[in-house]
Amino acid sequence: MSLQKLIRFAEAEEAYRQALRIDPNHAETLSNLGVLLKDMGRIREAERSYQQALLLDPDYFLVYSNLLFAQTYRCDANREESLATARLFGERVAAKAVPFTHKPHPNNIHRRLRIGLVSGDLRNHPVGFFLEGVVAALPPEKLELFAYATSCLEDLSTKKLKKIISNWHRVEGLSDAELAQLIRSDAIDILVDLSGHTAYNRLSVFAWKPAPIQVTWLGYCATTGVQAMDYVLVDSITLKPEQTIDFVEKPWYLPDCYLCFTPPDLPIPVSPLPALAQPFVTFGCFNNTAKINPNVIACWARILLAVPNSRLLLKNPALTDATVQRSLMEPFQRAGIAPERLILEGSRQQTRKQHLECHHRLDMALDPFPYPGVTTSVEALWMGVPVLTLQGGCVLSRQGETLLQAAGLPDWIARDVDDYVAKAVTFASDLPRLATVRAGLRQQVLRSPLFDAPRFANHLTQAWQEMWRIWSLSDSVSAPNRAERPPEGSIPHHPAILFKPHDQPVEREAIGAECAVPSPFRLHIGGYEVKDGWKILNIRPGQGVDYVGDCKDLSRFPDGCCDEIYASHVIEHLPYQRDLPTTLVEFHRVMKPGAMLRISVPDLDILCQLFLDKRMSDQTRLHVMRMMFGGQTDENDFHHVGLNFEILSRFLVRAGFKSMQRVEKFSIFNDASSFAPYFGIPISLNVETIKQGPADAPDS
């Protein structure tokens, strides 16, 4: 690791390889090797190293974060695969947590809120740069701030933040249980994660639900996978409504932009356009080299070929290493770019002032894709250097678009790669226009929402107050605890439906005597989602649950009372020799003649095909196994039977149902009936069957 920190990557790799030759089953070494390979831009190799570490230690939480962060750099990123990995991480941390409960108090809606910020980057770091101006502008009469610093690293930026945030805790040595208890004892109302799956994160603490409302923001623009995380702060450009299924958190949309940058407190002027004093245009990119994938290199090579004598300046600490330099040089040379047109520089020893002054050498910044710059882009804009970015299809890749829209530079957003190349050539061919943009850009962005901390702080305060109002008026002791609700599009596991709870209070209708039911009566077994005309049966009490009980015992409901039953991903948890046949008989008994039964289960045929698909990574194959055998987060979360259409049909016939039909999806609740995590292939078997008549009886 010391060699890695010294950016002697080739030597570091050999040291890790040697360690693995001695002990090939050392998960920590595999994880560290993955980080090194990621820094070298070898993303696929990094993923394989992380996956091997997880096979050895499935509860090594740090490796899930490393894997998810690495996947963001891939030019062929698979959002379904990343979402599955995030959800698996969320299940693992939830299995280790003992969540707190919180009771709303409507009388407390308008009181001063206690806001907790959890981060290891409260320092000279992008998170610190975005945070400093905002927290300074937050109204102290409405919000009391607490910081939970998860890293021991401190600097001058830390000192500035400490002057603003008086309640400061160094927590790097605390266990999850200890940190959760500290946050709980501080009576935090809203706990904010500023890391996501980046370094020094403590996402596993959020699974303990130490605060009634939990929010992720700023450090990582993707889902955490933690079900107890209630909200993600975004804007309407970054996250489109149709893509909220990529998050387990509920999106909370901020006006303008979800980011606000603090202007550097440094006396650095904007320089004249360099191309006016030299016979060539200089493009530049100061992003991580891991973002510069083959598609980006091919695009930038086209630009260099189309703009005679132009140069490309790439600057990043990893470029101190000769191996990384060669890995970037070679594809450019194969594309016809002479070595002298590439300027590769490391920046490990630079101060922030020196780093910002390097923008004096750039005429235009080129954003990588699909992972664009964020801090690098805003710093370039403040230095008068316009940034050319590419519209993206996912949340992460649209960050450049939201930054430039907020900065008032919509013309610098390209529709596709051809438009990206065309815009770069057009802008580079009009130096007077480029010089005019440069001269006025700093003042333009300082007046924009991108730098308007008071405006942003007002929006943030209103968001937190409204979250608090919603929760305070809710009627659940833990609302809006999403850990109790399956996320939209997920594969819900419902062991709670199958096993009777111990020492739990029973809400509404309890198990016991036959109860009165409304007419019409539609029963949703195993869910939490409230929908008009439906009643919910679940073994766990919770918001929206009408009947607390076990789906194997419907004795409280009279014969022929039910107009419709809906059970999604429930019956696979039932042992087929004992409970599955009798449970389906119970369904049949309570249904009216002509009533519809809708059942969704994992389709064993499809899952077997996916498991054998050679396109699957090891980690993805593990997720397919989870869908076959259950998440196994506890002893109750196993699947006891594998079902395809033929086998399920036999069970239904034995229970008294005479005909059944397979359908593509139900489109009634947000559940797994249409879940298609891999290659667009739905994994659920969805069957509809109708109770034919009053004389029907189960087959013997």
Side-chain angles (χ1 to χ4, degrees):
M1 187 174 290
S2 296
L3 292 169
Q4 186 173 343
K5 291 180 179 178
L6 291 171
I7 315 184
R8 293 160 59 179
F9 288 165
E11 296 171 81
E13 182 177 3
E14 176 53 33
Y16 285 136
R17 300 288 186 193
Q18 178 62 26
L20 289 171
R21 283 191 285 270
I22 298 170
D23 183 1
N25 296 322
H26 198 270
E28 185 176 355
T29 303
L30 285 164
S31 177
N32 290 340
L33 174 60
V35 174
L36 173 67
L37 294 169
K38 184 266 296 179
D39 289 344
M40 298 174 74
R42 293 155 60 182
I43 305 302
R44 286 290 192 181
E45 293 177 71
E47 287 186 68
R48 287 194 290 271
S49 192
Y50 295 141
Q51 288 161 353
Q52 290 176 37
L54 287 175
L55 287 173
L56 294 169
D57 186 356
D59 286 330
Y60 196 168
F61 297 156
L62 172 65
V63 184
Y64 289 97
S65 292
N66 288 342
L67 175 59
L68 285 162
F69 193 64
Q71 288 173 341
T72 62
Y73 289 110
R74 278 173 43 186
C75 54
D76 60 342
N78 184 316
R79 68 177 183 82
E80 291 90 354
E81 184 176 347
S82 295
L83 182 58
T85 302
R87 285 178 172 155
L88 184 57
F89 166 81
E91 291 176 1
R92 287 291 182 181
V93 297
K96 301 291 184 180
V98 183
F100 294 95
T101 57
H102 308 273
K103 186 174 182 179
H105 297 284
N107 295 335
N108 290 337
I109 291 178
H110 302 295
R111 68 169 173 79
R112 186 186 187 205
L113 298 180
R114 298 162 75 89
I115 309 295
L117 306 175
V118 183
S119 176
D121 301 318
L122 304 174
R123 54 191 172 90
N124 186 29
H125 181 276
V127 168
F129 300 155
F130 282 98
L131 196 62
E132 184 183 330
V134 172
V135 297
L138 291 172
E141 71 279 6
K142 296 180 180 179
L143 306 172
E144 182 179 5
L145 301 181
F146 293 72
Y148 301 93
T150 62
S151 164
C152 62
L153 300 175
E154 295 188 355
D155 51 31
L156 290 176
S157 293
T158 309
K159 291 182 179 180
K160 292 180 181 179
L161 287 168
K162 281 186 174 181
K163 291 180 180 178
I164 305 168
I165 307 172
S166 57
N167 303 295
W168 194 281
H169 298 287
R170 281 271 301 271
V171 300
E172 71 273 10
L174 299 185
S175 68
D176 286 354
E178 291 168 335
L179 179 51
Q181 183 57 56
L182 173 61
I183 295 166
R184 172 75 164 176
S185 64
D186 283 338
I188 297 301
D189 298 314
I190 300 178
L191 189 65
V192 184
D193 159 57
L194 299 174
S195 299
H197 285 284
T198 63
Y200 306 110
N201 80 72
R202 295 299 296 270
L203 288 175
S204 52
V205 172
F206 284 77
W208 289 70
K209 196 68 172 179
I213 301 172
Q214 301 190 148
V215 183
T216 184
W217 170 55
L218 188 57
Y220 177 77
C221 197
T223 186
T224 64
V226 178
Q227 294 292 328
M229 193 74 74
D230 300 299
Y231 297 106
V232 56
L233 289 177
V234 290
D235 59 58
S236 59
I237 294 176
T238 305
L239 181 59
K240 304 298 184 184
E242 64 271 18
Q243 292 181 319
T244 59
I245 60 171
D246 293 339
F247 284 78
V248 303
E249 305 86 358
K250 182 178 181 180
W252 192 285
Y253 289 93
L254 294 173
D256 305 323
C257 179
Y258 82 101
L259 297 169
C260 183
F261 199 68
T262 308
D265 187 17
L266 295 167
I268 308 174
V270 174
S271 67
L273 190 73
L276 296 177
Q278 54 194 17
F280 54 83
V281 170
T282 303
F283 302 100
C285 178
F286 295 170
N287 280 270
N288 291 336
T289 52
K291 296 182 180 182
I292 305 176
N293 58 63
N295 292 351
V296 172
I297 291 175
C299 174
W300 289 353
R302 288 174 59 189
I303 294 171
L304 292 173
L305 291 172
V307 181
N309 300 319
S310 58
R311 305 287 192 270
L312 176 61
L313 170 58
L314 303 178
K315 187 173 77 69
N316 184 268
L319 289 171
T320 305
D321 184 80
T323 305
V324 178
Q325 288 191 9
R326 285 195 300 272
S327 69
L328 277 178
M329 278 283 194
E330 290 171 359
F332 275 106
Q333 288 179 297
R334 290 195 295 270
I337 306 302
E340 61 269 17
R341 298 182 68 184
L342 293 178
I343 308 165
L344 307 183
E345 296 183 358
S347 58
R348 183 162 53 91
Q349 301 298 331
Q350 285 188 332
T351 65
R352 191 181 187 204
K353 183 173 185 292
Q354 291 171 328
H355 166 71
L356 291 170
E357 287 175 338
C358 289
H359 291 86
H360 291 161
R361 301 161 60 190
L362 300 185
D363 295 292
M364 185 191 315
L366 299 178
D367 218 1
F369 50 86
Y371 193 161
V374 180
T375 305
T376 52
S377 296
V378 184
E379 287 179 336
L381 296 175
W382 187 77
M383 289 300 301
V385 179
V387 181
L388 178 61
T389 196
L390 180 67
Q391 279 183 344
C394 67
V395 175
L396 185 75
S397 61
R398 279 198 291 273
Q399 292 181 99
E401 182 179 355
T402 195
L403 292 175
L404 291 182
Q405 288 286 5
L409 293 172
D411 292 346
W412 289 78
I413 303 169
R415 298 185 306 275
D416 50 38
V417 172
D418 289 341
D419 190 38
Y420 187 106
V421 173
K423 283 181 178 292
V425 174
T426 299
F427 292 141
S429 302
D430 191 348
L431 297 186
R433 180 187 177 191
L434 205 54
T436 300
V437 170
R438 187 186 192 92
L441 190 53
R442 177 177 291 182
Q443 291 306 312
Q444 177 178 324
V445 297
L446 287 176
R447 292 192 299 267
S448 75
L450 196 54
F451 283 80
D452 192 340
R455 175 188 178 94
F456 187 90
N458 182 54
H459 292 154
L460 191 59
T461 301
Q462 291 177 356
W464 285 338
Q465 289 177 324
E466 180 62 12
M467 291 176 192
W468 181 251
R469 186 192 70 81
I470 292 171
W471 183 79
S472 296
L473 294 177
S474 65
D475 60 0
S476 170
V477 295
S478 57
N481 186 352
R482 291 175 63 85
E484 294 183 352
R485 293 168 174 257
E488 293 182 5
S490 72
I491 300 178
H493 295 127
H494 297 302
I497 304 165
L498 312 177
F499 300 88
K500 296 182 181 181
H502 300 286
D503 302 323
Q504 288 189 346
V506 177
E507 299 179 358
R508 305 193 186 184
E509 295 288 348
I511 298 173
E514 185 175 290
C515 62
V517 296
S519 182
F521 179 45
R522 296 181 176 88
L523 188 62
H524 182 193
I525 298 177
Y528 284 97
E529 183 183 350
V530 177
K531 186 177 286 288
D532 288 344
W534 288 86
K535 296 293 183 180
I536 296 173
L537 169 69
N538 202 305
I539 203 166
R540 286 186 181 135
Q543 186 178 21
V545 174
D546 299 282
Y547 307 100
V548 178
D550 193 321
C551 75
K552 295 179 296 186
D553 179 11
L554 302 183
S555 59
R556 80 179 70 182
F557 303 118
D559 294 354
C561 67
C562 195
D563 296 84
E564 191 168 349
I565 292 179
Y566 183 96
S568 177
H569 287 254
V570 170
I571 66 171
E572 66 270 20
H573 294 272
L574 294 164
Y576 76 95
Q577 289 179 313
R578 183 180 72 249
D579 293 328
L580 179 55
T582 57
T583 298
L584 293 177
V585 169
E586 274 287 88
F587 288 1
H588 188 276
R589 178 187 66 79
V590 301
M591 292 172 63
K592 294 178 180 178
M596 172 74 75
L597 170 64
R598 290 185 171 92
I599 290 180
S600 180
V601 295
D603 189 324
L604 187 61
D605 287 344
I606 298 298
L607 294 178
C608 289
Q609 293 170 22
L610 288 171
F611 185 79
L612 297 173
D613 195 309
K614 294 182 178 180
R615 294 174 290 177
M616 291 289 189
S617 66
D618 290 340
Q619 185 62 34
T620 306
R621 193 167 281 109
L622 283 173
H623 186 253
V624 174
M625 289 175 61
R626 181 178 73 83
M627 291 188 281
M628 289 179 175
F629 303 123
Q632 302 173 34
T633 57
D634 56 51
E635 68 273 16
N636 298 331
D637 195 21
F638 288 84
H639 292 176
H640 291 277
V641 59
L643 297 164
N644 62 10
F645 183 68
E646 179 184 3
I647 296 172
L648 179 57
S649 297
R650 289 177 183 173
F651 277 114
L652 289 168
V653 168
R654 287 174 58 190
F657 297 95
K658 297 301 184 185
S659 63
M660 53 281 312
Q661 175 184 5
R662 182 170 187 167
V663 297
E664 182 180 352
K665 58 184 177 181
F666 293 137
S667 300
I668 300 176
F669 296 93
N670 291 318
D671 60 14
S673 66
S674 59
F675 188 50
Y678 309 115
F679 320 122
I681 301 173
I683 60 89
S684 289
L685 168 63
N686 306 312
V687 173
E688 295 179 343
T689 183
I690 296 175
K691 181 174 179 177
Q692 297 296 334
D696 290 346
D699 292 346
S700 58

